[in-house]
């Protein structure tokens, strides 16, 4: 195969990885918020430490682009779904 085919496959692989990390960040952020809203303080501690541990591990082992997309996804999830129910009710009134 010509070398350009390998370059195209590599580029597609990088793009898929970045989109995957964005979706993964959104999912982890949503799960963290959903689990953190439960009333069990043990669950809240476990979820918080898991989220922080994942961020630390990704900082050490992921590429810069993958870490950036994870950060954008997690940040977007925290901003989108992080609003409390009281704020949503005040906007509706």
């Amino acid at each position: 195969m010509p070398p350009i085919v390998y370059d195209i496959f590599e580029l597609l692989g990088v793009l898929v990885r970045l989109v995957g990390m964005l979706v993964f960040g959104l999912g982890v952020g949503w799960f963290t918020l959903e689990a953190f809203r439960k009333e069990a303080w043990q669950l809240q501690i476990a979820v918080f430490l898991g989220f922080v541990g994942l961020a630390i591990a990704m900082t050490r082992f992921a590429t810069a682009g993958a870490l950036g997309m994870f950060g954008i996804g997690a940040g977007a999830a925290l901003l989108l779904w992080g609003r409390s129910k009281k704020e949503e009710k005040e906007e509706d009134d």
Side-chain angles (χ1 to χ4, degrees), residues 26-83:
L26 282 170
V28 168
W30 175 82
F31 174 73
T32 301
L33 287 172
E34 284 297 314
F36 199 76
R37 288 186 178 137
K38 308 289 185 212
E39 301 210 8
W41 62 270
Q42 296 93 344
L43 178 64
Q44 291 176 344
I45 290 173
V47 167
F48 175 74
L49 290 177
F51 185 74
V52 170
L54 177 65
I56 291 170
M58 288 192 62
T59 301
R60 174 66 178 98
F61 297 109
T63 62
L67 180 62
M69 291 304 279
F70 172 78
I72 290 171
L78 295 176
L79 288 174
L80 288 174
W81 295 303
R83 301 183 339 176

Side-chain angles (χ1 to χ4, degrees), residues 83-93:
R83 301 183 339 176
S84 67
K85 302 287 183 192
K86 293 177 185 176
E87 292 176 4
E88 291 175 4
K89 287 181 183 178
E90 289 176 4
E91 290 178 2
D92 291 340
D93 293 336

